[in-house]
Amino acid sequence: ALGQHLSYLLDPDHSLTPQQAMSASYADRYQPVTQDIVNFGYRRDSVWLRADVQNSSRKQSQWLVGVLYPQIDLLDFFVLDKHGQLLQQTAGDNRPFSLRPVAHRHFYFKLTLPPGQNTTVYLRARSAGTLLLPVSITTPQQWQASDHNEQIFIGIYAGTLLAMLLYNLLLYFSLRERTYLYYVLYIACLGLAQATFYGVAGEYLWPR
């Protein structure tokens, strides 16, 4: 996690352009983050995050910058390429799933940074709910390995809930006891709530 390697800038009226937020005149206005996981609570401001990234590896040039909280409404990633051109990637729970640079329940942005080079990346976040921003950087290979394990856990959890739902549904049809029907509804609501919170529903059930 980048955590305390980040600095932040608040934009209460959502008026800052990327050029302004990334300019030298605003550089001193950023405040250091003092938490491992950035949490602004229920704040309606747009929040800009800045991180200086250096590639100290010998071969790796492709990276993924992730925000591992799927409930952020609007999220934008900015970086300057080697020619000084502004590159932008967009994501967010209130945007079409197809716009995400990486088709995943969390938000991942692609960063090309050759070995030995450094750059500064910027994130702009805005949400009507909790503005929780656990930012990380990883390689595609590390991400695939980690995501594989998470998918196995999610599959086991979802399969367990589905088995419980079907078992109690069969008991309801066999015994006609309303208690089993209520339990089926409880399991269904619990499963949907968990799927929505962890971003699985937005990826598979109702992608925008």
Side-chain angles (χ1 to χ4, degrees):
L2 289 178
Q4 299 183 34
H5 299 284
L6 297 165
S7 55
Y8 71 92
L9 173 67
L10 300 179
D11 179 17
D13 53 3
H14 320 291
S15 62
L16 280 182
T17 65
Q19 290 78 8
Q20 289 174 320
M22 300 170 71
S23 67
S25 59
Y26 275 83
D28 293 336
R29 302 190 187 188
Y30 282 81
Q31 302 295 317
V33 170
T34 58
Q35 304 166 300
D36 290 331
I37 297 178
V38 187
N39 188 352
F40 291 97
Y42 288 92
R43 183 178 289 274
R44 296 297 177 263
D45 310 40
S46 289
V47 176
W48 287 85
L49 294 179
R50 180 184 67 187
D52 296 320
V53 181
Q54 181 176 10
N55 185 358
S56 57
S57 70
R58 296 182 178 180
K59 298 180 180 180
Q60 187 70 39
S61 61
Q62 300 300 319
W63 302 85
L64 292 174
V65 177
V67 181
L68 310 183
Y69 182 64
Q71 303 300 318
I72 302 169
D73 293 343
L74 302 172
L75 196 59
D76 299 278
F77 176 84
F78 302 94
V79 67
L80 296 177
D81 66 11
K82 61 181 180 180
H83 303 295
Q85 296 295 315
L86 179 65
L87 303 179
Q88 178 179 0
Q89 300 173 49
T90 61
D93 188 47
N94 280 1
R95 287 172 171 158
F97 190 85
S98 59
L99 290 180
R100 301 187 186 193
V102 178
H104 194 267
R105 62 187 178 279
H106 294 310
F107 307 114
Y108 285 96
F109 303 98
K110 298 177 181 179
L111 174 65
T112 299
L113 187 62
Q117 295 192 15
N118 59 278
T119 190
T120 303
V121 299
Y122 292 82
L123 284 164
R124 179 178 60 191
R126 180 180 176 184
S127 190
T130 302
L131 202 52
L132 182 66
L133 299 166
V135 183
S136 67
I137 185 167
T138 187
T139 67
Q141 295 83 1
Q142 291 172 333
W143 170 73
Q144 288 178 355
S146 174
D147 188 61
H148 176 73
N149 294 332
E150 289 183 11
Q151 292 283 14
I152 291 176
F153 173 78
I154 290 173
I156 293 173
Y157 181 74
T160 301
L161 285 182
L162 182 60
M164 293 172 61
L165 186 149
L166 293 176
Y167 175 71
N168 283 276
L169 188 61
L170 288 174
L171 287 178
Y172 168 71
F173 284 126
S174 299
L175 304 176
R176 295 297 177 178
E177 289 283 345
R178 286 190 177 182
T179 303
Y180 295 109
L181 180 60
Y182 295 149
Y183 194 52
V184 166
L185 294 175
Y186 167 76
I187 295 172
C189 291
L190 175 64
L192 287 175
Q194 294 284 338
T196 301
F197 181 79
Y198 289 106
V200 177
E203 183 176 2
Y204 295 108
L205 300 182
W206 45 74
R208 294 177 182 270

